[in-house]
Each structure stands twice: as structure tokens, then as C-alpha cells.
């Protein structure tokens, strides 16, 4: 009887241990340093950053990211981003924030360029771009009568690629707006009710990156 009672108590202790939540290990301090390029003015207050450079001004709001400290060191011309007592899953926000700020610096100094190309097998696509490069009209896609119109996001211009047939070039300072405009063109020409393995018609991004110094 004593052995039975002892075994029962041990089983209860093991069950209680299994029910307890596992403690997640937290990192005491994690830090990343982002240097500020020459000729760029930075205004940082309450996790809201504004960047001004030769090509224009961009801003971004990081108030939704918890447990993060952002300090602009003017003497060393760098931004220090720090997180305290965070688990590994939340630490991924640290690299994300620094990448967003790096894209802001590239946007106001170099700019971003996306290249797209039209793909068709039988029906040639007719393109009509607005005079200011703020709009594109696509006709005769898969022989359809419907005209597709895409308006670029603010700060994005579109033009023809003179070196490639049926090529488009999208340029702008904000990488989000440039990529969204490219996605808008791509999604406006999706093939419906056909086998997309056979019908590959559409607009696809062929190249993307910063505007090179030419």
C-alpha cells in the first residue's frame, strides 16, 4: 500500500510539471547600428523618422513596434536601434526596422528602379503611357476588348524601356510605392479561366534595385 501511494504521488508531481508553462529565454540586450550616409538629414522623435536627401524627403512610423529604442547619434552620424528583454521571435523586428531605414537612405540618395516586361504568345499588347508617367493603359491583352488602366502610386513614374521590346521602367524614391505599382500592373493582367502553365501572358518583374550611377 505504501508503494502504491508513493507511486501515485510521483505521478501527480510529474503531471503538475507537464502542465506548467515553459519559460522562454529572453535576450537581455540586442543592438544594431546603422550609419547615416553623407548629405542626408535625419529627424528622429518618438520612433518616427524623417529622412531628407538630394532626391527628396521620406518618413516612416515605427510606433507599432514594441520594446524598441531608437537613438540618433549626431556625433558619429549613426542610428542605434536597441531592444531589451525580448524573445527571439520579437528580435526579428530589429533587423526589419534597420532594413526599412536603410531603404529610406537609399531612396533619398539613389532611388529605386523596377524593370518589367510584357510576355505574350499570340496577341501583342498595346501600351499607352501618360504624358507625366503617372498612368499606363494596357489594351489587347489576350485579345480582350477591355482596357486595363493602372495609376502609379505617389512619387512613382513609369516609362518605356528603349533597350528592350515591350519593356517598362518604374522609378521612385519610396520602395514600397514602386513595388506596389509594379504589383498593380502584374495583377491587372492575370490570366483567368485558363491553364496558367500554358498561358504565360502577363507582365513580370525582370530586374529591381537602386538606380545605378550612369
Amino acid at each position: 500500500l505504501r508503494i502504491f501511494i508513493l507511486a501515485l504521488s510521483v505521478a501527480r508531481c510529474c503531471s503538475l510539471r507537464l502542465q506548467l508553462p515553459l519559460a522562454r529565454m529572453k535576450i537581455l540586450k540586442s543592438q544594431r547600428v546603422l550609419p547615416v550616409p553623407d548629405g542626408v538629414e535625419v529627424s528622429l522623435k518618438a520612433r518616427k523618422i524623417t529622412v531628407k536627401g538630394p532626391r527628396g524627403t521620406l518618413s516612416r512610423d515605427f510606433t507599432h513596434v514594441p520594446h524598441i529604442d531608437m537613438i540618433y547619434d549626431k556625433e558619429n552620424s549613426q542610428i542605434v536601434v536597441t531592444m531589451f528583454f525580448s524573445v527571439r521571435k520579437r528580435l526579428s523586428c530589429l533587423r526589419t526596422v534597420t532594413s526599412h531605414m536603410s531603404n529610406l537612405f537609399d531612396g533619398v540618395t539613389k532611388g529605386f528602379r523596377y524593370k518589367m516586361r510584357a510576355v505574350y504568345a499570340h496577341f501583342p499588347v498595346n501600351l499607352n503611357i501618360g504624358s507625366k508617367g503617372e498612368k499606363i493603359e494596357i489594351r489587347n491583352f489576350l485579345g480582350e476588348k477591355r482596357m486595363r488602366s493602372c495609376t502609379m502610386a505617389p512619387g512613382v513614374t513609369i516609362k518605356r524601356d528603349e533597350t528592350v521590346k515591350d519593356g517598362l521602367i518604374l522609378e521612385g524614391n519610396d520602395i514600397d510605392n514602386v513595388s506596389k505599382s509594379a504589383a498593380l500592373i502584374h495583377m491587372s493582367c492575370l490570366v483567368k479561366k485558363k491553364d496558367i502553365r500554358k498561358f504565360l501572358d502577363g507582365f513580370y518583374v525582370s530586374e529591381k534595385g537602386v538606380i545605378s550611377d550612369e
Side-chain angles (χ1 to χ4, degrees):
L1 183 61
R2 291 179 180 178
I3 296 175
F4 176 74
I5 295 174
L6 181 61
L8 185 61
S9 61
V10 171
R12 287 181 179 178
C13 292
C14 293
S15 63
L16 288 176
R17 288 180 181 179
L18 293 175
Q19 292 177 1
L20 292 176
L22 297 177
R24 294 183 296 177
M25 183 175 179
K26 294 185 177 181
I27 309 299
L28 179 63
K29 179 181 178 181
S30 299
Q31 182 174 290
R32 294 186 69 90
V33 178
L34 182 66
V36 178
D38 297 334
V40 175
E41 299 178 5
V42 177
S43 174
L44 180 60
K45 184 178 181 181
R47 288 184 290 181
K48 296 180 181 179
I49 184 172
T50 302
V51 179
K52 184 178 181 181
R55 292 180 59 91
T57 304
L58 293 175
S59 60
R60 193 145 189 141
D61 188 359
F62 296 106
T63 55
H64 63 281
V65 183
H67 303 286
I68 190 169
D69 292 336
M70 303 167 60
I71 300 175
Y72 176 39
D73 187 0
K74 294 184 180 180
E75 295 181 357
N76 299 323
S77 185
Q78 62 185 11
I79 296 177
V80 181
V81 185
T82 312
M83 294 188 77
F84 296 95
F85 297 104
S86 295
V87 295
R88 291 190 175 273
K89 184 176 290 187
R90 186 174 290 172
L91 283 177
S92 60
C93 300
L94 191 64
R95 177 62 182 269
T96 302
V97 170
T98 54
S99 298
H100 283 316
M101 289 190 292
S102 179
N103 288 334
L104 294 180
F105 295 154
D106 290 339
V108 297
T109 55
K110 302 176 183 178
F112 292 96
R113 174 185 293 164
Y114 273 53
K115 291 185 179 181
M116 302 187 71
R117 191 168 182 181
V119 177
Y120 52 86
H122 186 271
F123 297 99
V125 179
N126 297 328
L127 304 176
N128 185 18
I129 300 176
S131 59
K132 298 181 180 180
E134 79 288 352
K135 184 179 180 181
I136 182 173
E137 296 178 352
I138 304 170
R139 292 183 174 86
N140 199 38
F141 177 72
L142 289 179
E144 297 178 1
K145 299 295 183 181
R146 181 169 70 91
M147 186 266 292
R148 293 165 168 82
S149 178
C150 299
T151 303
M152 300 295 102
V156 181
T157 58
I158 185 171
K159 61 182 180 180
R160 290 180 180 269
D161 192 354
E162 302 297 337
T163 60
V164 180
K165 182 183 178 183
D166 297 323
L168 298 174
I169 296 179
L170 288 79
E171 294 180 348
N173 297 341
D174 193 346
I175 187 174
D176 289 343
N177 290 343
V178 177
S179 58
K180 287 177 184 177
S181 300
L184 186 64
I185 297 174
H186 171 73
M187 296 187 67
S188 66
C189 296
L190 295 178
V191 178
K192 306 291 185 180
K193 299 181 180 180
K194 292 182 177 63
D195 188 1
I196 59 176
R197 297 171 297 179
K198 180 68 175 178
F199 293 86
L200 301 176
D201 300 46
F203 283 83
Y204 300 93
V205 176
S206 59
E207 184 181 343
K208 57 184 177 180
V210 297
I211 299 175
S212 60
D213 299 331
E214 298 177 354

